[in-house]
Amino acid sequence: MYWEKDIETLPREKLEAVQLERLKSTLQRAAKSAHYGSVFKEKGFDPAKFNALHDVRHIPLTTKEDLRASWPYGFLAVSKDELVRMHSSTGTTGRATVIFHTANDVSEWTNLVARCMYMAGVRKGDVFQNMMTYGLFTGGLGFHYGAEKIGALVIPAGAGNSKRQIQLMRDFETTVIHIIPSYALHLYTVFEEVGLDPKKDTKLKIAFVGAEPHSEKTRKRIEEFYGIKAYNSYGLSEMNGPGVAFECPCQTGLHIWEDNFIVEIINPDTLEPLPDGEEGELVMTTLLREGMPILRYRTKDLTRIVPGACECGRTHRRIDRIKGRTDDMLIIKGVNIFPIQVEKKLMEIPGVGTDYVIILEREGFNDVMIVKAEVQKEFFDGDLFHLEALQKRIVEALKSDILITPKVDLVAPGSLPKTEGKAVRVIDNRKE
Ligand code: ADP
Ligand code: ZN
C-alpha cells in the first residue's frame, strides 16, 4: 500500500532524530554559501553548536527578498559545476526567484513526487497527462519525473489548448491528470461545448490539483464534474516545487514530508512559533538539498498544522488547505478578506459558473468591490428573472459572510479572460 512505508510511518521520535541529523549537516552546508556565510557571521550564529531540534527558532529566517537580493548564485552551497538543473518561481508577487539542483537534489525531489502520487493511488499502468506548463515552472518537469519513477505512462501535454487536451485524454485513455484547479473548471466547460461528458467519455480516475489557492467547494465541483477524486497538491519552487505536501486518500489535510523538510508555523507579525492547530505563516527548511539549502523560508502561505494523527497511518504531520498568501489579503472598507472567502461562497451557489474575478475601485472616499462571476450555461440561457434572483443571492451570501456589500456583475459562461497558468483573481484599481 505504501511507496516508502518505513519512512512514511516512522514513529515521531525516530523521525525527529532523522530531522536533527539532517538539519545539522544542512546548516554546515548552508554556511558555505555567500548568503548564509555572511548572515551567520552577522547574527553570531554558529552552526557547529546546533544540537537540539527545538532550537530551530534561533536559526535566521529567509525571505523571498533575500533570494532576490542574492540573485543569481548567492545561495549556492556547492560549486556551479555540480549543478544539473535550474528552475524558477512563477513570479506571482514580483520578480521570479531561481533555484538550482544537483543530481541528488533532482533525484530526492523525484522521489517525493512519486511518494505523493503513489499515496493517492497512481500505479504502473496508469496513463498520466500532465497539463502544467513545462519549462522553468516546476509543475511540469517535477511531476513528470515522479510519475515516470512510479512507472506510469506520461503524456507531457503541457498547459492550454483545451480541445487537444480532451483529444489526448480520449485517444490514450488517460487515467490521471495534473491540472490547475481554475483550469479544471474551465476545461469542463469545453467538454460541454464539444458535447462530451468526462464522466462517461473518459477513463479519468484521479486529478492532482494545485499551484493556486482553491476552496473545498471547488474541489468538490471538480470531483463531481469529472467523476474522479481530486487531491490537493501543494508545493513551491523554493522547496523544489510539487511534492512538498499532498493529500492522502483520507483527504483531511496535506501530509508534509518531514524527513525532507522542517515545518513551522509562525505568527507573521511577531515571528513567534505557533502551536499545532493555530493558523499562521508556513516556514520551511530543506533537509537534503545540496545545491541550494534554504533555511526557515517564509513561504507567506497561511495555513495551520492539523492536530492529531491521520487515519492512513502516516506519521508526517498534515497542513490544512492554504488560505492564501499574506500578500493576497485585501483590505476593503477596513475589512480584511482573502479572495478564497469569496470563491467559497460563490461555488456554493447553484447557477454560478466556473470563473470569477474581484475588481476593486475607489469612488470618492469609498472602496467598491465588484464581483464578476460567470453563470452556468443553463442559467444564462434562461430568463432574466432567474439571473436577477441569482445576483441577489450572491450579494446576500457575500454580505453575510465577508460583511461587505459587493456589486455583482453576472457574465456569460467562458467570457472572462483565461490564463494558462495561475488564475488572476483580483484587479485592484484603487491606486491613489
Ligand atoms: P510563485 O510564488 O511566484 O507563485 P511558485 O510557482 O513557486 O511561484 O508557486 C508557489 C506558490 O503557489 C505557493 O507558495 C503558494 O502560494 C501557491 N500554491 C501552490 N500550491 C498550492 C495549493 N495547493 N494551494 C494553494 N496555493 C498553492
Ligand atoms: Zn493520511
Side-chain angles (χ1 to χ4, degrees):
M1 145 124 209
Y2 291 98
W3 167 259
E4 294 183 303
K5 183 167 198 241
D6 293 349
I7 304 174
E8 292 176 40
T9 60
L10 205 61
R12 290 246 24 123
E13 230 167 84
K14 289 197 176 145
L15 185 55
E16 286 175 11
V18 169
Q19 286 189 312
L20 180 60
E21 277 325 297
R22 291 183 174 176
L23 180 56
K24 282 179 4 188
S25 48
T26 295
L27 290 172
Q28 302 281 358
R29 275 200 306 275
K32 293 185 198 147
S33 71
H35 173 78
Y36 289 116
S38 72
V39 168
F40 288 175
K41 210 187 247 165
E42 192 188 306
K43 308 238 167 184
F45 177 82
D46 182 359
K49 292 212 180 104
F50 189 89
N51 206 22
L53 218 44
H54 58 79
D55 284 335
V56 161
R57 59 164 70 190
H58 302 304
I59 300 173
L61 288 158
T62 307
T63 62
K64 220 174 182 91
E65 291 68 40
D66 292 329
L67 290 170
R68 287 181 183 138
S70 294
W71 176 278
Y73 291 124
F75 271 76
L76 284 196
V78 297
S79 75
K80 222 169 100 193
D81 53 10
E82 296 296 318
L83 302 174
V84 300
R85 179 97 70 82
M86 174 180 125
H87 275 288
S88 98
S89 65
T90 310
T92 312
T93 57
R95 197 171 88 175
T97 50
V98 281
I99 300 294
F100 300 98
H101 301 272
T102 64
N104 279 341
D105 293 340
V106 171
S107 146
E108 292 294 348
W109 176 18
T110 300
N111 208 41
L112 287 188
V113 177
R115 213 191 259 180
C116 293
M117 295 183 81
Y118 194 91
M119 174 165 74
V122 183
R123 297 291 181 272
K124 182 174 165 57
D126 272 310
V127 178
F128 170 62
Q129 188 166 327
N130 193 5
M131 292 189 239
M132 289 281 173
T133 308
Y134 274 71
L136 283 172
F137 176 60
T138 54
L141 289 174
F143 254 82
H144 185 106
Y145 287 107
E148 279 189 359
K149 176 139 192 179
I150 291 179
L153 166 59
V154 181
I155 305 177
N161 202 341
S162 304
K163 290 196 175 133
R164 184 161 152 267
Q165 298 283 8
I166 294 172
Q167 183 82 43
L168 288 170
M169 269 181 210
R170 286 169 49 78
D171 286 357
F172 304 105
E173 304 189 326
T174 302
T175 53
V176 182
I177 55 174
H178 177 207
I179 189 164
I180 292 190
S182 52
Y183 184 65
L185 294 177
H186 168 65
L187 187 67
Y188 180 72
T189 64
V190 183
F191 267 101
E192 282 186 321
E193 221 178 278
V194 296
L196 292 170
D197 176 356
K199 287 191 284 300
K200 296 200 212 96
D201 301 317
T202 73
K203 296 263 190 297
L204 291 180
K205 293 185 310 198
I206 295 172
F208 293 103
V209 294
E212 65 183 11
H214 56 288
S215 62
E216 180 63 29
K217 282 282 162 199
T218 292
R219 181 243 289 281
K220 282 267 147 50
R221 277 195 175 198
I222 296 170
E223 292 190 327
E224 278 160 24
F225 286 169
Y226 290 87
I228 54 172
K229 278 281 189 192
Y231 292 99
N232 192 353
S233 143
Y234 170 78
L236 65 164
S237 58
E238 292 83 358
M239 297 290 126
N240 296 341
V244 173
F246 268 56
E247 281 178 327
C248 68
C250 303
Q251 294 185 313
T252 51
L254 296 81
H255 288 284
I256 191 155
W257 300 121
E258 294 186 84
D259 58 323
N260 271 255
F261 304 105
I262 300 270
V263 183
E264 300 167 82
I265 303 287
I266 63 164
N267 175 321
D269 301 318
T270 64
L271 309 183
E272 285 302 312
L274 292 171
D276 285 7
E278 275 186 41
E279 186 184 278
E281 179 178 348
L282 177 68
V283 167
M284 297 186 69
T285 300
T286 62
L287 287 179
L288 289 175
R289 264 280 177 78
E290 294 176 341
M292 196 170 159
I294 302 186
L295 311 175
R296 301 193 78 213
Y297 182 65
R298 292 189 60 182
T299 65
K300 295 197 174 174
D301 290 325
L302 293 171
T303 182
R304 63 183 188 116
I305 299 280
V306 178
C310 185
E311 277 178 21
C312 76
R314 289 179 182 81
T315 50
H316 301 238
R317 286 179 299 170
R318 290 160 295 164
I319 55 168
D320 215 344
R321 181 178 288 287
I322 305 285
K323 181 174 169 192
R325 304 182 197 233
T326 47
D327 348 80
D328 286 347
M329 195 180 74
L330 302 169
I331 305 178
I332 306 166
K333 295 183 181 170
V335 180
N336 298 348
I337 68 154
F338 282 92
I340 203 165
Q341 291 173 269
V342 174
E343 182 199 292
K344 206 165 128 193
K345 279 288 145 195
L346 288 176
M347 294 299 152
E348 269 170 21
I349 302 173
V352 173
T354 52
D355 206 359
Y356 71 96
V357 63
I358 301 167
I359 302 168
L360 301 172
E361 303 279 1
R362 181 155 288 154
E363 284 176 8
F365 292 107
N366 274 334
D367 289 338
V368 181
M369 176 176 167
I370 303 152
V371 176
K372 272 196 180 184
E374 287 185 2
V375 178
Q376 266 169 5
K377 204 167 171 300
E378 311 81 87
F379 257 77
F380 203 74
D381 298 342
D383 55 39
L384 216 58
F385 175 74
H386 270 107
L387 280 184
E388 257 173 51
L390 178 61
Q391 191 176 25
K392 270 203 190 117
R393 196 165 163 198
I394 298 172
V395 173
E396 288 307 317
L398 288 174
K399 195 166 120 189
S400 67
D401 193 54
I402 59 174
L403 309 175
I404 292 164
T405 310
K407 286 186 180 169
V408 171
D409 198 357
L410 297 179
V411 299
S415 65
L416 290 174
K418 307 285 177 261
T419 59
E420 281 191 0
K422 307 184 189 214
V424 178
R425 292 307 191 196
V426 179
I427 300 171
D428 195 343
N429 295 325
R430 294 177 299 174
K431 306 284 170 300
E432 292 300 311

